[in-house]
Amino acid sequence: MNARFTITRLGSQADGVAETETGELFIPFTLPGETVTAAREKDRATLMSVLEASPLRIDPACRHFTECGGCAIQHLEAEAYHRWKRDKVAHALNSKGITCDIDALVPCAPQTRRRVVFTARRSEAGMLLGFVRALSSEIISIEECPISLPEIVAKLDRLTALAELVCATTKSFRMTVTATGSGLDVAVHESGKLGENQRRVASNFVIAQGLARLSIDGEIIIEPKKPVVMFGDIAVAVPPGAFLQATEAAEQAMADIVGRHLARAKKVADLFAGCGSFALRLAAKSEVHAVEGDAAALSALDRAFRFASGLKRVTSERRDLFRRPLTFKELNAFDGIVFDPPRAGAEDQSKQIARSDVPLVAAVSCNPVTLARDLRILIDGGYALKSVTPIDQFLWSPHVEAVALLEKPRRRR
């Protein structure tokens, strides 16, 4: 049954929150101050109509908004949207008793996302390729995507055709598409085991469409052109399905902040180094020890360093930093640290950093909650938090990146 609600604030996932007698009710696609009707089910509700709209409500940028689960908040005016993202970082820090001036949000432009994860499934009506509806398993086929690079959107029909060619399962599977300097790199996951004829037909299609590479579950099916991305001036041939920051502009913004902070460091440890987006840039001025658990990513980093010129020494170490973080004694060999862990954060590694006397630390995170936890550990260990910069590389989503810079006086030995 529909009922009338007043929205008081935005929740952490961009849902509007209404206060009711039985507690908070979350209503997607609503804004503070609005009066709406919605169909309630437990603590969530489906928006039926907006009776009194917020003056901050705008028309969404995409026809698929509210259906496709990719974006949550296209309907909020830009300045208010930027404040909301910045406040997410501030609230997370405040929850751990951390007070610090939060810099203005570094914004994200539309049509800049270079790495897009689609979901695909064969249906009676044909191949579906798109994004999953929020809180559902339903795939919404898409015809546009205003967050993604135009070269990805322009090939949606051909990517759908490729999904059809590699599909050997009745279940849903993922297709990660990355725009590189060599063309689109397509990494498919859980599409089933291909027969020889399927491999041949898919390979011919990749060549005909000018794609750089097709891999399935980490196996390269065909690679007409090695996918290459630039980390600053350094070319890196990335492995299949490699992690990359979502947008090139956000990556450069983070690298600039980190680079300025660590400019005085002669030796830097890059923890959770990935393919080297920080390490290879930092090596222009500092010796860098890159630590990463993924062998393929580390190999790409090392290969890029060996073929580059003008860099200081870069060493690499394969190590699971969740199971075996660098100890404070190992860290004391460095003048600076940058760490950029997955969303789970780096709790155990932060405890070791806190015990060290490394003077300069840069913490990068896509999760303000775990960032706040890790910063609390570092601050309790004697570090002073100098700045926090939120960076919006996940446009119109609830997610926000942040770079925190810390310092500690180095003890005399």
Side-chain angles (χ1 to χ4, degrees):
M1 186 175 70
N2 295 351
R4 182 175 175 135
F5 302 98
T6 298
I7 307 303
T8 58
R9 61 181 179 86
L10 280 177
S12 62
Q13 299 303 304
D15 298 333
V17 180
E19 304 291 342
T20 73
E21 292 181 356
T22 56
E24 294 180 336
L25 179 67
F26 297 91
I27 310 176
F29 316 122
T30 61
L31 297 174
E34 292 188 330
T35 301
V36 304
T37 57
R40 181 172 188 169
E41 185 175 347
K42 298 182 179 178
D43 64 344
R44 297 190 62 83
T46 301
L47 177 65
M48 296 289 108
S49 64
V50 178
L51 303 178
E52 297 178 22
S54 165
L56 299 177
R57 178 175 284 275
I58 60 173
D59 292 332
C62 179
R63 77 181 84 169
H64 303 298
F65 182 63
T66 73
E67 292 187 339
C68 151
C71 293
I73 193 164
Q74 287 188 12
H75 56 300
L76 179 60
E77 181 270 335
E79 188 175 336
Y81 165 78
H82 292 163
R83 284 198 304 271
W84 176 71
K85 284 257 172 141
R86 180 182 176 278
D87 287 347
K88 283 175 67 71
V89 177
H91 291 156
L93 297 183
N94 289 341
S95 72
K96 293 296 184 180
I98 301 172
T99 56
C100 175
D101 288 337
I102 310 293
D103 294 340
L105 181 82
V106 177
C108 180
Q111 299 184 321
T112 57
R113 190 178 179 101
R114 63 181 175 184
R115 184 174 183 269
V116 183
V117 182
F118 297 107
T119 301
R121 181 173 55 82
R122 182 179 284 133
S123 70
E124 292 181 359
M127 180 57 61
L128 298 174
L129 181 78
F131 299 114
V132 176
R133 187 191 294 272
L135 302 177
S136 166
S137 60
E138 180 186 2
I139 300 171
I140 306 298
S141 291
I142 62 168
E143 298 176 22
E144 65 180 0
C145 182
I147 68 171
S148 302
L149 284 170
E151 52 261 48
I152 295 177
V153 177
K155 288 189 179 280
L156 281 172
D157 57 341
R158 280 155 283 187
L159 293 169
T160 304
L162 180 58
E164 177 74 37
L165 293 177
V166 302
C167 180
T169 180
T170 58
K171 299 179 181 179
S172 298
F173 60 94
R174 288 177 291 123
M175 176 181 278
T176 300
V177 181
T178 304
T180 75
S182 317
L184 297 187
D185 178 18
V186 181
V188 180
H189 304 275
E190 300 179 339
S191 62
K193 184 174 177 57
L194 292 191
E196 287 304 315
N197 186 58
Q198 268 187 298
R199 293 173 73 102
R200 184 171 59 255
V201 172
S203 296
N204 290 338
F205 184 87
V206 167
I207 294 170
Q209 297 302 324
L211 302 178
R213 177 170 61 196
L214 169 65
S215 62
I216 298 180
D217 294 327
E219 178 193 357
I220 297 176
I221 304 301
I222 187 169
E223 187 181 68
K225 296 170 285 187
K226 192 168 286 295
V228 172
V229 297
M230 301 299 295
F231 292 157
D233 298 327
I234 309 301
V236 181
V238 293
F243 171 79
L244 290 175
Q245 299 293 350
T247 75
E248 188 175 357
E251 178 184 87
Q252 188 61 54
M254 290 186 282
D256 288 344
I257 296 168
V258 171
R260 286 192 296 269
H261 186 58
L262 301 181
R264 293 181 284 118
K266 293 181 179 180
K267 295 183 66 176
V268 173
D270 181 2
L271 310 182
F272 307 95
C275 293
S277 60
F278 290 115
L280 294 169
R281 287 178 168 97
L282 291 168
K285 296 181 178 179
S286 310
E287 290 187 8
V288 180
H289 183 60
V291 186
E292 166 61 44
D294 184 89
L298 206 59
S299 177
L301 187 162
D302 183 65
R303 191 182 312 114
F305 163 67
R306 294 181 186 281
F307 280 92
S309 59
L311 298 184
K312 294 187 180 294
R313 187 165 68 119
V314 176
T315 55
S316 58
E317 177 184 357
R318 185 183 180 191
R319 184 161 169 171
D320 185 340
L321 292 170
F322 291 108
R323 293 178 179 270
R324 195 163 63 92
L326 262 69
T327 67
F328 71 95
K329 291 182 179 179
E330 292 174 290
L331 292 169
N332 281 340
F334 302 97
D335 308 302
I337 298 170
V338 55
F339 66 101
D340 183 12
R343 289 187 59 80
E347 184 173 11
D348 289 341
Q349 185 61 77
S350 295
K351 290 175 181 177
Q352 293 297 323
I353 297 172
R355 295 180 66 189
S356 79
D357 61 358
V358 180
L360 301 171
V361 172
V364 183
S365 174
C366 61
N367 185 347
V369 173
T370 55
L371 174 65
R373 178 202 65 202
D374 294 345
L375 291 180
R376 182 73 267 168
I377 293 169
L378 296 175
I379 292 167
D380 290 345
Y383 280 93
L385 182 59
K386 295 299 183 180
S387 70
V388 177
T389 305
I391 297 172
D392 185 22
Q393 69 166 327
F394 309 106
L395 185 62
W396 297 320
S397 84
H399 305 298
V400 59
E401 198 90 21
V403 180
L405 306 179
L406 304 101
E407 295 183 4
K408 177 193 280 189
R410 191 154 210 170
R411 294 188 294 268
R412 291 184 179 180
R413 299 176 187 174

